[in-house]
Amino acid sequence: MQNFAQQQAKNWWAEGDTPVRRDSRVSYFVDGRATMLIMCYHFIKAQRYIYLANWGMTAAIELVRGTDHRPGPDKSPEQKALLAELRAQGFQDADIAFWQTHDLTLQNVLGYAVSKGVEVKVLLWKSIPLFSHYDQQLAYDELTAVGVTCILDDSALGILHHPVESLHQKISIVDGKYAFVGGVDPMIEKQGEFDRWDTHSHPFSTPLRRTAQGITPHPWHDAHSLIEGPAASDVELNFRERWNDVVHRHHMHQKLHIAEHPLPPALQSQTIVQIARTIPEHTYNFKPLIIRGIAQFYKNALSNIQEYVYLENQYLWLRTFTGIDIPFMASDNAEMEQNIRALGAALQRGASMAIILPDHPNVGRAFSDAGLARLRDETPQAMEEERLQAFTLATSQRIDGTEHYRPIYVHAKVAIVDGVWATVGSGNLNNRGMRDDTELNVATLDPELAHGLRLMLQGEHLGLLHDDDLLTLSLLRNKQYETKQEQEQALRIRTYLEAALGDPLVAFRMMHERAWENLNRYKAKQALIGHLLPYLTADEALDQGLN
């Protein structure tokens, strides 16, 4: 394994848009519970402004639920401990009173910020209603009702655009000092099938995610990040450029224009970080008119693989999907062709690869199968040596004496290369993430950060830790105050994960064994251990006697 100085000398970064920074901090979060909890903390504590831009939003979504919101009755030891924690996090008396007396929905939290004099601006994707996964007008009306300034962004509409182009970024900026970037939208899809808030254990059913119809939406796995320091200004730049472009194009009142804010203070950090975007042609009028920074991230990082690459993604499409799930009828996508070639070359060099994909993506299952088949065909030795592994996720629960199973929707967009470089964002491994949708990712070069992210993800999927232990590990880095007990607990958790999963190749082997063990348990109608299953193509499923 090369040392960090040698890794820094390689080209990992995108050119022509935002700078590479050495004065900012990044934290990675796994799943909606941790992500939305930290978001809620920062929204409530905001002092000047909050900006949000998402693929979809539900004003009524609860950002904080269950014992995270209210662990016990008033004056109980549990509730007193929570209030002490909030004060340690910087909450004022009014903030704590709000927390205790309101449901922590997106609408309520942003409305509370407005009531304190905080400027709140929300950029909502305006899409063709037939293809929209959220009620954009309802979100606009409900957020506007509490004083939030909303704009419906129609920049992806028109005959010059890809037929299903979307404004797919999931970003938030608070006071210019903090920015959230990743895969988590604060949204429950309008059919109620997918609620982005979920816990690390991804339960089959839970009252914390139950809809008005009494149904628990499909389990949802995701990843997000918090960026602190000057790199947060690069996320704000993206929001400001998008917002002002819509204001100018539609001749809205000049008072809606967002002025540039000063850079936040530099922070001491061992992390090298960069923000990268995908901005398709004809979408916005700011320069550069076409941005493919996320594609550059992947091109450079995948070319640098020496030991392993760990991927989680919604897709692995080699070709361009336009609505018909038949890969040979589609046109090639140059960026994904490049990525598949780089992965194949790494496997041929002796590297290992693990990828986690959803078993039931919303579209394009055959396209992901075709991308995986291409890799398998080109790397027979890697297949023989079991260095190319593909997995999916599921959960189970015994009901009336029978084990029931549900797929976990894999929505995370994560890549980790050789335990030094990692990216999290909205960009999928397909033509849309690389070229045809508006996207935003953060990438870091930091061995401790990349290694810790891998441990959290694999620890969750293998079922090695309790929900609250993973939450503790995820949140500890982002607390302004840490008790000695919290520090000791986090150290115990990290030490346990390090002993089990510290060697990435051992961890990959554990994932392989657990996945196939779970497939046998599924066939025998037994409970799954953790969430891993092998990712099977249709033909492989038939070979296993499965539907």
Side-chain angles (χ1 to χ4, degrees), residues 145-217:
V146 295
V148 175
T149 303
C150 296
I151 288 180
L152 289 167
D153 187 351
D154 62 354
S155 302
L157 294 176
I159 60 173
L160 295 177
H161 298 267
H162 186 275
V164 288
E165 179 184 332
S166 70
L167 307 180
H168 196 241
Q169 294 176 351
K170 301 97 166 47
I171 61 170
S172 307
I173 303 100
V174 178
D175 292 341
K177 298 186 294 184
Y178 308 99
F180 292 89
V181 170
V184 179
D185 290 292
M187 181 178 77
I188 302 170
E189 292 194 26
K190 61 185 179 182
Q191 295 83 4
E193 293 184 0
F194 297 106
D195 180 351
R196 270 50 171 174
W197 189 97
D198 202 356
T199 66
H200 299 297
S201 60
H202 303 294
F204 185 97
S205 63
T206 170
L208 295 178
R209 303 181 72 239
R210 201 153 290 156
T211 66
Q213 293 74 34
I215 299 169
T216 297

Side-chain angles (χ1 to χ4, degrees), residues 23 50 74 250 256 262 273 290 294-295 335 369 379 393 395 403 440 442 449 508 530 537:
D23 53 6
I50 301 170
D74 288 344
H250 288 286
L256 289 172
V273 57
I290 303 172
I294 297 174
E335 291 80 12
D369 288 359
T379 59
L393 304 177
T395 191
E403 201 69 27
L440 194 140
V442 60
L449 197 57
F508 283 9
T537 65

Side-chain angles (χ1 to χ4, degrees), residues 308-312 316 343 347 351-357 372 375-376 379 381-392 458 504-516 532-536 540:
Y308 78 89
V309 58
Y310 177 89
L311 300 167
E312 295 190 2
L316 184 66
L343 289 169
L347 289 164
S352 297
M353 169 182 163
I355 184 168
I356 298 187
L357 295 161
L372 191 58
L375 273 177
R376 288 169 168 171
T379 59
Q381 187 173 354
M383 288 298 297
E384 182 179 341
E385 296 171 355
E386 296 183 340
R387 289 186 287 105
L388 172 53
Q389 302 283 348
F391 306 100
T392 192
Q458 292 178 321
L505 303 186
V506 170
F508 283 9
R509 169 58 56 184
M510 287 177 64
M511 293 174 70
H512 172 79
E513 292 173 353
R514 178 60 53 81
W516 285 93
L532 287 165
L533 285 165
Y535 179 89
L536 303 176
E540 288 170 332

